[in-house]
Amino acid sequence: MNKPRIFISTVTRELRSTRQRIANILVSKGYEPVWQDTFGTEPGDLRGMLRRKVKSCQGLIQIVGEGYGAEPAAPDPQFGRCSYTQFEFLYAHAQKKKTWLLVVGPECQRDCPPDQLDLPRDDHPNPAAYQAERRQLQRDYQQRPEFRAHLRHTAESDLALDLAVERMGDELDGLRKGFRRWQAVVLTLIALTLASIWWVKRESGRDISTVQEGVKEIIVGQKEILAGSKITTAGIRKQILLGSERKRDRDLAEADAAEPAEREKLREAALDAHTSRISRIDELAQSFTELEGRADTTNVFKEMARILEQEGVDMALAYIAEQKGGILDRVKKRKEAEQAQTRTELQPLLTAAGLKATSGQTVAAR
């Protein structure tokens, strides 16, 4: 990967031509544009693939129109109901990627008239209601905190939109510098690894302890370079706190919808539960960082901790739910192997008991 990658997010049916125009501008500036059409799709839920592609990019530009677009079969654990296009921005924003929002006005080119967007593909009993619901979901998306608090460029024409992309120059240059620093770290790691292999081969004729000490020095150097990627207690604490706050807000909303006689009691219960949860946050966050740093910690735990810090509680729990079956299966097999080894170790005693029984030493045999 020799160029910084920028993910371009939009509803293809509505703004395909606009996306291509912005992609051409990015290419002229030395960036590699990425979007769904460039890597195809896979059957079923696309969110896993979108996560991988967004993670591989240094930034994301979303072109926001009137279309809602296709959506997953089930709401997202972290973001709720959202289309795939909305998910792309929300996920990039949660990952702390550099993101830009370009809102297109009515005079901008559209590949499909607005009244033809978000219609059902099959024989739906009420196409108008289907379309109206998705249009409202798109309007609701623009009221989300992630969207409203974000700097947005609103363009009334194609020219204004192109100029908005051109004016991103300084921010894009900053992204390029960050990308070059990342490349330098990767190249340094590769160089250290190659040097370690060469050094061990060259010194293999010397005392093995000398070789081992040299390898240890190289490994320490690599660990120092990678130290910046380790999780932090503050990052873990922030995500756990956000998860508790989301639960509190849901409980308060349910309390507000309850009968007046129960409302205040439910609100107090929601606030008390939140207070109880946050009293344990510091200890839990500290345990994550301590366990993640241990040499015997599994890769599954390390990945869960990374997802927790970068993507939040819901995504970390979703990851563990996927891994649960494999973990339990490995533990079961290990336990069965240990039981088999125990039976093997006990076999001489069991055989001796049989000898005692045949020689009349019944009590001792038992």
Side-chain angles (χ1 to χ4, degrees), residues 113-366:
D115 61 356
Q116 296 298 311
L117 293 169
D118 299 317
L119 290 171
R121 295 184 178 181
D122 51 10
D123 295 328
H124 195 277
N126 194 339
Y130 180 96
Q131 184 186 54
E133 180 188 35
R134 279 148 183 78
R135 288 300 176 81
Q136 185 60 50
L137 287 169
Q138 179 67 355
R139 288 191 289 270
D140 292 344
Y141 167 68
Q142 297 183 44
Q143 298 302 312
R144 292 183 64 122
E146 301 95 328
F147 193 100
R148 287 178 60 83
H150 200 286
L151 179 65
R152 301 183 298 280
H153 302 274
T154 301
E156 297 300 327
S157 67
D158 290 340
L159 178 59
L161 190 64
D162 293 353
L163 289 174
V165 179
E166 292 286 351
R167 284 196 294 269
M168 293 177 187
D170 291 342
E171 293 177 89
L172 289 169
D173 286 342
L175 204 62
R176 188 196 305 276
K177 291 176 183 177
F179 175 76
R180 286 173 177 168
R181 286 194 295 270
W182 175 82
Q183 277 189 319
V185 170
V186 172
L187 290 173
T188 300
L189 287 173
I190 293 173
L192 283 170
T193 302
L194 293 175
S196 68
I197 295 172
W198 171 83
W199 192 85
V200 169
K201 286 184 176 180
R202 194 194 70 159
E203 299 296 319
S204 59
R206 296 172 56 183
D207 183 80
I208 187 63
S209 62
T210 305
V211 177
Q212 289 174 336
E213 287 301 317
V215 172
K216 286 180 181 178
E217 289 179 7
I218 293 170
I219 292 173
V220 168
Q222 291 177 328
K223 287 182 176 179
E224 289 176 353
I225 292 173
L226 290 172
S229 65
K230 285 188 173 296
I231 67 168
T232 64
T233 302
I236 292 291
R237 186 186 187 284
K238 177 183 176 182
Q239 292 291 4
I240 298 174
L241 179 60
L242 286 173
S244 182
E245 289 175 344
R246 284 195 294 269
K247 171 60 174 169
R248 176 202 61 194
D249 294 343
R250 289 195 298 269
D251 290 345
L252 289 174
E254 291 178 4
D256 291 340
E259 295 295 328
E262 294 290 321
R263 191 173 300 159
E264 191 58 33
K265 184 188 297 183
L266 292 173
R267 286 186 60 84
E268 289 181 4
L271 294 173
D272 289 345
H274 175 62
T275 300
S276 176
R277 289 193 297 267
I278 63 176
S279 68
R280 302 189 296 271
I281 285 179
D282 289 338
E283 181 181 354
L284 181 59
Q286 183 64 35
S287 71
F288 264 95
T289 52
E290 290 175 355
L291 288 170
E292 194 270 345
R294 283 172 44 173
D296 60 347
T297 299
T298 66
N299 290 332
V300 172
F301 183 90
K302 291 180 179 180
E303 179 65 5
M304 179 182 68
R306 184 197 65 77
I307 293 173
L308 173 59
E309 184 181 48
Q310 297 182 7
E311 304 177 41
V313 173
D314 291 335
M315 295 306 298
L317 292 176
Y319 169 73
I320 285 300
E322 294 175 355
Q323 301 296 319
K324 179 180 177 181
I327 293 172
L328 294 178
D329 186 54
R330 288 192 295 273
V331 171
K332 180 181 178 182
K333 289 180 179 178
R334 184 165 61 247
K335 185 177 180 180
E336 291 173 349
E338 290 172 353
Q339 289 175 336
Q341 181 63 31
T342 298
R343 286 194 293 270
T344 300
E345 293 284 348
L346 290 173
Q347 194 60 52
L349 298 180
L350 296 173
T351 305
L355 289 175
K356 285 180 180 289
T358 57
S359 63
Q361 303 177 51
T362 309
V363 176
R366 186 176 295 110

